[in-house]
Amino acid sequence: MDPSNRSSPSAPPAAPAISRFPVPDLAAMPDDVRARIQEVQDKAGFVPNVFLVLAHRPDEFRAFFAYHDALMLKEGGLTKGEREMIVVATSAANQCHYCVIAHGAILRIYEKRPLIADQVAVNYRKADLTARQRAMLDFALKVALRSAEIEDADFARLRDHGFADEDAWDIAAIAAFFAMSNRLANTTGMRPNDEFYLMGRLPRKPPA
């Protein structure tokens, strides 16, 4: 056998880049940015790549997560699961790989339903949702894709399903914020963490 034809052991493939832009080392980040990332790691067991990618610009990191928290962690007429439904449905419409995968995982966990994120991402109109939730997503998709067409009748339909006008603002703000996030994620080439893919898909086994 010709030694030149022997296949040599290949090195393991390099880990895929999580961004097209430089990702700073944790030690080089400002103290408050590093503390926020450490808090998330302690809670989740890993660092979602969005935190590392946006740390490239600390001022924008702070503004992004302040607005994110104001929209997604507030009390109001929408549940945390419904807020994540808006993110998944509009991010799918905007073809944002990162947000569909990451927020799909969060949606599954909040709703304790392993199929819901896939259903919402592919076609929310056929998902196992209430009529109220479908109306919510109809409005969110209109904000994400055809905001110039929004009219008073859209608000009236939401009211018919029990949403207050402040809820309509929340729906619109979440859709609008994540439309920005989707475009930034696509531009940076933000890669979802592998951990997200399996989160919430199988029920946790009770302790022995």
Side-chain angles (χ1 to χ4, degrees), residues 77-78 132 155 158-159 161-171:
L78 308 179
R132 176 182 183 275
F155 287 83
L158 288 176
R159 292 186 202 108
H161 286 276
F163 291 104
D165 286 352
E166 290 300 315
D167 298 328
W169 183 302
D170 284 343
I171 296 167

Side-chain angles (χ1 to χ4, degrees), residues 14-18 46-49 97-98 101-102 105 108 191-201:
I18 65 170
F46 68 99
V47 181
N49 287 337
H97 185 200
Y98 185 91
I101 299 302
R108 290 191 296 272
R191 178 180 171 85
N193 302 67
D194 292 347
E195 290 90 341
F196 283 129
Y197 287 89
L198 296 181
M199 288 171 58
R201 292 197 180 276

Side-chain angles (χ1 to χ4, degrees), residues 1-9:
M1 178 182 290
D2 183 351
S4 63
N5 291 331
R6 293 176 182 172
S7 58
S8 58

Side-chain angles (χ1 to χ4, degrees), residues 89-104:
T90 57
S91 296
N94 289 324
Q95 300 184 61
C96 178
H97 185 200
Y98 185 91
C99 290
V100 169
I101 299 302
H103 289 272

Side-chain angles (χ1 to χ4, degrees), residues 119-141:
Q119 292 177 343
V120 170
V122 173
N123 186 347
Y124 73 89
R125 296 175 183 86
K126 296 184 178 181
D128 296 328
L129 301 176
T130 65
R132 176 182 183 275
Q133 290 166 340
R134 279 192 289 274
M136 173 188 75
L137 294 181
D138 285 342
F139 184 69
L141 266 292

